Amino acid sequence: METTATAQMPEATKDFMPINGTDYIELYVGNSKQAAHFYKTAFGFQSLAYAGLETGLKDRESYVVVQDKIRLILTSPLKSGTTIGKHIDTHGDGVKVVALWVDDASYAYNTALERGAKSYMEPTLEEDETGKVVRSGIYTYGETVHIFVERKDYQGTFLPGFKAWETPDYNPAPTGLKYVDHMVGNVGWNQMNYWVDFYENVMGFKNILSFDDNDISTEYTALMSKVMSNGNGRIKFPINEPAEGKKKSQVEEYLDFYEGEGVQHIAVATDDIIKTVRDLRSRGVEFLRVPDTYYEVVTDRVGKIDEDLAPLKELGILVDRDDEGYLLQIFTRPVEPRPTMFFEIIQRKGAQSFGKGNFKALFEAIEREQELRGTLH
Ligand code: FE2
């Protein structure tokens, strides 16, 4: 498998599936009300919109929170036997929808279906007094779906069917999270290339980076990864699959506990990672730690950087460099009881890659946590 140090952007002229950015991410969770509180309190998201009994829904409730360009919908069922409830029973809390902002949701849907996608939701017009939205949807790996959102004729708070969620008495300050940098999917044994082909053929994405099990392995575990990017580079989806190692890898642990393929992590960008991480830690967000010895050799590996090493070491922030610059990154512990989805905080200073130089230290840190969970065997 080819490994390149620098991400190669595909040519925009060939883009048959233009995507403006990530529109929203919907998580199915056991308790949407408490999850919304967690994302406000711990991560600094702001109250945005609500749908539930008060807006005429009978079977589910959703809270929408926002921070800069990042919108999360937190949805729970209001009764037993729903598809949402079954999703939560199988997978635990997790990402159901990765919604993509497009100019024409009918065109995106028809093009994807012609190219082999499986339909999740036919193009549907939704309207209220502030305008109209068209949404459509297709399946991707596992039970995860992409919804195409066309909102050029919409002026409302979020989507038709939602009302503004106003919380004048409780609005914790943002933590500097700005946009979704990339979202990673974990797929089963020998499934990575299937999903690489899916994103290439159905969505017009290009494979911009590949990592094999020599790049991503420790003494005990290994995985493989290919990074898919859309034409303008605003959407990046690395796809991981497990590789043979002496012990069970983090991807296998995820697949076991999620009971299937799904979103492994959401990477969110900040302009000041030291400030953001200090703030998140003070609000109770838990991060993976690498050993202090990481910082003894980091300067030799990445050269001169703008930041002082002391706060990076204090907070456990990792550094890596590629041909275009460097990046700073850190990973949270899973944000639900099952060892499944987590967040990455990333600050790019030129680098367009994903921290290959940190993989080994990072995966050893994950193995230490797997050991504590009894899942490294
Ligand atoms: Fe990442």
Side-chain angles (χ1 to χ4, degrees), residues 182 184 238 265 267 329 331 344 354:
H182 61 276
V184 179
H265 73 266
Q329 64 186 167
F331 299 81
E344 172 182 352
F354 296 84

Side-chain angles (χ1 to χ4, degrees), residues 181-184 238 240 264-268 329-331 342-346 348 353-355 359 362:
D181 184 276
H182 61 276
M183 287 185 71
V184 179
N240 295 337
Q264 181 211 38
H265 73 266
I266 304 171
V268 288
Q329 64 186 167
I330 191 169
F331 299 81
F342 57 90
F343 284 84
E344 172 182 352
I345 315 299
I346 185 166
R348 293 187 181 278
S353 53
F354 296 84
F359 288 167
L362 190 61

Side-chain angles (χ1 to χ4, degrees), residues 67-325:
Q67 187 162 183
D68 203 327
K69 293 189 171 60
I70 313 162
R71 286 189 288 232
L72 303 180
I73 310 185
L74 304 152
T75 298
S76 292
L78 291 174
K79 59 179 192 177
S80 63
T82 65
T83 54
I84 298 165
K86 285 175 189 156
H87 195 280
I88 296 164
D89 186 43
T90 303
H91 304 296
D93 287 8
V95 172
K96 174 64 179 178
V97 179
V98 179
L100 304 170
W101 173 30
V102 298
D103 290 333
D104 187 336
S106 303
Y107 166 82
Y109 175 87
N110 291 330
T111 303
L113 254 62
E114 275 165 25
R115 291 172 164 269
K118 185 178 156 204
S119 174
Y120 172 69
M121 173 181 167
E122 287 183 11
T124 306
L125 177 70
E126 296 160 310
E127 280 185 279
D128 64 20
E129 63 285 355
T130 67
K132 56 188 177 185
V133 169
V134 181
R135 291 193 301 158
S136 60
I138 60 170
Y139 280 94
T140 177
Y141 46 76
E143 289 198 87
T144 317
V145 302
H146 289 309
I147 287 188
F148 300 112
V149 184
E150 172 188 332
R151 51 167 73 252
K152 60 182 182 293
D153 300 320
Y154 192 66
Q155 308 300 326
T157 303
F158 177 56
L159 286 174
F162 286 79
K163 66 171 191 173
W165 179 31
E166 279 154 9
T167 53
D169 297 329
Y170 189 64
N171 298 293
T175 59
L177 305 179
K178 300 187 80 72
Y179 59 88
V180 176
D181 184 276
H182 61 276
M183 287 185 71
V184 179
N186 278 344
V187 300
W189 290 95
N190 304 313
Q191 292 300 300
M192 178 178 68
N193 285 327
Y194 175 89
W195 291 105
V196 165
D197 290 347
F198 169 88
Y199 280 105
E200 258 173 23
N201 300 333
V202 172
M203 305 281 285
F205 285 39
K206 291 284 184 291
N207 176 208
I208 58 165
L209 277 175
S210 298
F211 306 101
D212 64 19
D213 41 353
N214 294 316
D215 295 316
I216 315 183
S217 66
T218 67
E219 186 184 348
Y220 297 115
T221 69
L223 63 89
M224 297 191 283
S225 188
K226 287 188 177 178
V227 182
M228 305 306 293
S229 171
N230 81 318
N232 60 19
R234 290 182 197 169
I235 308 292
K236 295 194 194 77
F237 292 149
I239 312 281
N240 295 337
E241 76 170 40
E244 288 292 348
K246 285 186 196 160
K247 297 186 177 182
K248 187 183 280 190
S249 75
Q250 51 169 300
V251 179
E252 288 172 272
E253 185 195 41
Y254 176 101
L255 295 168
D256 283 354
F257 277 92
Y258 198 70
E259 299 189 22
E261 302 177 337
V263 171
Q264 181 211 38
H265 73 266
I266 304 171
V268 288
T270 171
D271 286 341
D272 187 345
I273 196 166
I274 292 172
K275 189 164 182 293
T276 294
V277 171
R278 184 163 280 142
D279 201 357
L280 292 170
R281 278 170 57 123
S282 76
R283 293 159 175 244
V285 176
E286 296 179 325
F287 292 95
L288 284 178
R289 291 298 303 218
V290 294
D292 284 353
T293 51
Y294 173 93
Y295 296 93
E296 290 168 13
V297 293
V298 72
T299 313
D300 295 340
R301 186 164 59 78
V302 302
K304 189 177 158 19
I305 57 171
D306 300 337
E307 293 73 15
D308 289 334
L309 220 48
L312 301 181
K313 182 176 174 180
E314 173 207 334
L315 298 167
I317 295 165
L318 310 177
V319 194
D320 195 28
R321 183 179 285 280
D322 65 20
D323 297 346
E324 295 171 282

